[in-house]
């Protein structure tokens, strides 16, 4: 009991860390905290102590981040970009409402949609197994089997919702579903173990060992079945990194100089270890997908007030007239000189006069 605060404290730290890394995973993580607190309340182990320990754990992670953002006057922009823009991203389906657009994606029946159903179906099976075992075992309250069954279903539904926060359909959104499979496996196996061990005590230890082995295999398989292929080490990846790095050789970026890409994949900055001059590194994609308001106008105002030294443009600059404002294109034509293009003539480089 003296260390009872440790688990909720670590849970709060974990939740805050995940929220700061990927806000779309908050619903599923929130379900974990909710059911943990319900469990503690049912166990009568000091609900409020656990609650405030969880809050304290969050504060340890979030506090320093917000202090840093506050010092740099970036709390408002952080909320605008990370929260509002993320949840307003409808992937080009702005003619549909938030719910309608996602229902269209869920029901279209491709591999992304069908894969996202799997944990939900698995949770219903796991819950059914838990309820049957609970009824056959004399409706024992120890371990709160019905609560665990409910957790499996609600958690899987939250994971399902996480995959449709945006309409991009990126494969990495499916990776957290492996946790849903693991939870479902544990709920079902625990229920079966409790039932059989309650009937035959002699089998409790060997059943426990078998259950641990099966759970490990299921969890391990479910996690790695969703893991991305080793693309990082592929020739294609290495070629793209080399291409981005070679383009930086076309000009010498001095310490006081700035660079920004128009239409170029945002990996350009990562591969070259440079920061974009303007806050929105994925500008063209955001404008096309209606992420945030007045992106083009905001970039226009920034560029005119804070001229960027180098502009790297994917294709020809005139291709972006109608995406960026006409004033932005005209400003670049009047205040920048065409410096060079790459060998494939896929990208153009402009230098501030």
């Amino acid at each position: 009991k003296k260390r009872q605060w440790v688990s909720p404290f670590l849970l709060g730290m974990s939740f805050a860390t995940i929220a700061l890394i990927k806000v779309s995973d908050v619903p599923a993580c929130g379900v974990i905290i909710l059911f943990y607190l319900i469990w503690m309340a049912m166990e009568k182990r000091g609900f409020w102590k656990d609650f405030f320990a969880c809050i304290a754990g969050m504060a340890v992670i979030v506090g320093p981040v917000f202090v840093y953002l506050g010092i740099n006057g970036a709390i408002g922009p952080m909320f605008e970009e990370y929260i509002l823009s993320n949840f307003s991203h409808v992937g080009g389906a702005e003619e549909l409402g938030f719910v309608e657009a996602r229902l269209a994606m869920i029901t279209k029946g491709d591999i992304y949609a069908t894969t996202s159903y799997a944990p939900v179906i698995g949770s219903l099976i796991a819950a059914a197994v838990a309820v049957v075992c609970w009824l056959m075992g004399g409706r024992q309250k120890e371990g709160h089997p019905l609560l665990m069954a409910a957790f499996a279903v609600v958690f899987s539904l939250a994971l399902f919702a996480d995959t449709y926060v945006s309409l991009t359909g990126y494969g990495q959104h499916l990776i957290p579903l492996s946790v849903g499979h693991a939870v479902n496996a544990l709920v079902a196996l625990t229920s079966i173990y409790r039932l059989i061990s309650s009937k035959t005590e002699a089998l409790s230890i060997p059943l426990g060992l078998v259950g641990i082995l099966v759970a490990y295999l299921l969890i391990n398989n479910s996690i790695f079945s969703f893991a991305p292929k080793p693309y990082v080490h592929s020739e294609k990846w290495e070629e793209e990194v080399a291409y981005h790095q070679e383009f930086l050789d076309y000009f010498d970026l001095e310490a006081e100089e700035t660079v920004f890409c128009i239409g170029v994949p945002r990996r350009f900055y990562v591969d070259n270890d440079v920061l974009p001059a303007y806050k929105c590194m994925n500008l063209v994609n955001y404008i096309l997908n209606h992420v945030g308001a007045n992106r083009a106008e905001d970039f226009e105002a920034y560029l005119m007030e804070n001229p960027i030294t180098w502009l790297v443009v994917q294709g020809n600059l005139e291709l972006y007239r109608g995406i960026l404002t006409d004033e932005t294109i005209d400003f670049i034509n009047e205040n920048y000189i065409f410096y060079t293009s790459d060998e494939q003539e896929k990208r153009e480089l402009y230098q501030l006069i």
Side-chain angles (χ1 to χ4, degrees):
K1 288 187 176 180
K2 290 182 179 180
R3 296 183 179 179
Q4 181 183 324
W5 60 271
V6 174
S7 293
F9 183 81
L10 293 176
L11 188 60
M13 290 182 64
S14 301
F15 176 81
T17 302
I18 293 172
L20 290 174
I21 294 173
K22 199 171 191 309
V23 69
S24 61
D25 288 334
V26 165
C29 294
V31 168
I32 295 175
I33 291 181
L34 173 63
F35 274 84
Y36 176 83
L37 293 174
I38 293 174
W39 178 289
M40 291 298 101
M42 294 176 70
E43 288 285 306
K44 299 179 180 179
R45 289 176 52 184
F47 172 85
W48 290 110
K49 288 183 180 180
D50 286 346
F51 176 80
F52 287 115
C54 187
I55 296 298
M58 295 181 194
V60 167
I61 300 299
V62 173
V65 174
F66 273 74
V67 169
Y68 172 80
L69 293 173
I71 292 173
N72 290 277
I75 292 179
M78 186 278 287
F79 272 103
E80 179 184 349
E81 297 297 327
Y82 189 56
I83 306 295
L84 300 179
S85 292
N86 261 329
F87 283 95
S88 66
H89 190 179
V90 295
E94 69 281 356
E95 71 277 2
L96 296 175
F98 184 90
V99 175
E100 290 81 3
R102 281 147 185 82
L103 285 176
M105 187 177 182
I106 291 170
T107 57
K108 67 181 181 180
D110 63 5
I111 187 64
Y112 186 92
T114 53
T115 302
S116 64
Y117 296 144
V120 178
I121 297 172
S123 69
L124 296 175
I125 296 172
V129 169
V131 171
V132 170
C133 290
W134 175 69
L135 292 172
M136 292 177 65
R139 304 186 181 186
Q140 297 176 350
K141 295 182 178 179
E142 182 182 354
H144 308 295
L146 296 185
L147 180 66
M148 293 306 299
F151 168 70
V153 175
V154 177
F155 182 64
S156 294
L157 287 172
L159 284 173
F160 180 81
D162 287 349
T163 62
Y164 294 98
V165 166
S166 74
L167 295 180
T168 51
Y170 291 143
Q172 64 263 29
H173 290 172
L174 298 173
I175 294 175
L177 298 180
S178 60
V179 184
H181 288 295
V183 168
N184 296 334
L186 288 173
V187 168
L189 287 170
T190 301
S191 302
I192 295 170
Y193 166 74
R194 283 196 183 121
L195 174 63
I196 297 178
S197 61
S198 67
K199 302 292 184 182
T200 312
E201 283 189 31
L203 294 176
S204 60
I205 294 178
L207 275 174
L209 294 174
V210 172
I212 291 172
L213 177 62
V214 172
Y216 169 77
L217 294 174
L218 286 171
I219 294 168
N220 185 68
N221 180 68
S222 66
I223 290 174
F224 287 100
S225 65
F226 284 98
K229 296 179 181 179
Y231 180 71
V232 174
H233 303 292
S234 69
E235 291 183 7
K236 181 180 179 182
W237 177 277
E238 292 174 356
E239 289 174 2
E240 290 180 2
V241 171
Y243 177 55
H244 290 150
Q245 292 176 340
E246 287 171 5
F247 195 81
L248 202 65
D249 294 336
Y250 286 110
F251 61 102
D252 295 322
L253 189 64
E254 303 295 336
E256 69 278 2
E257 294 182 331
T258 54
V259 62
F260 188 72
C261 298
I262 298 175
V264 177
R266 56 187 180 275
R267 270 188 44 214
F268 178 91
Y269 303 109
V270 177
D271 293 339
N272 287 300
D273 193 26
V274 296
L275 293 173
Y278 178 63
K279 63 182 180 180
C280 183
M281 67 174 70
N282 205 14
L283 178 64
V284 171
N285 184 55
Y286 272 27
I287 294 173
L288 291 175
N289 288 302
H290 310 278
V291 181
N294 304 317
R295 294 283 185 186
E297 291 76 13
D298 186 69
F299 178 67
E300 173 194 326
Y302 179 88
L303 184 63
M304 293 183 180
E305 294 175 8
N306 308 276
I308 299 168
T309 312
W310 298 96
L311 294 174
V312 183
V313 182
Q314 185 79 16
N316 186 273
L317 179 64
E318 286 298 322
L319 294 174
Y320 299 93
R321 192 179 290 276
I323 300 174
L324 302 177
T325 64
D326 288 340
E327 290 76 9
T328 299
I329 302 298
D330 294 339
F331 180 84
I332 295 173
N333 286 327
E334 294 168 5
N335 295 276
Y336 286 78
I337 58 170
F338 173 78
Y339 189 82
T340 188
S341 62
D342 61 4
E343 295 179 358
Q344 295 92 353
E345 296 185 351
K346 292 181 179 179
R347 291 176 185 170
E348 296 180 347
L349 181 64
Y350 292 83
Q351 183 183 23
L352 181 66
I353 300 173

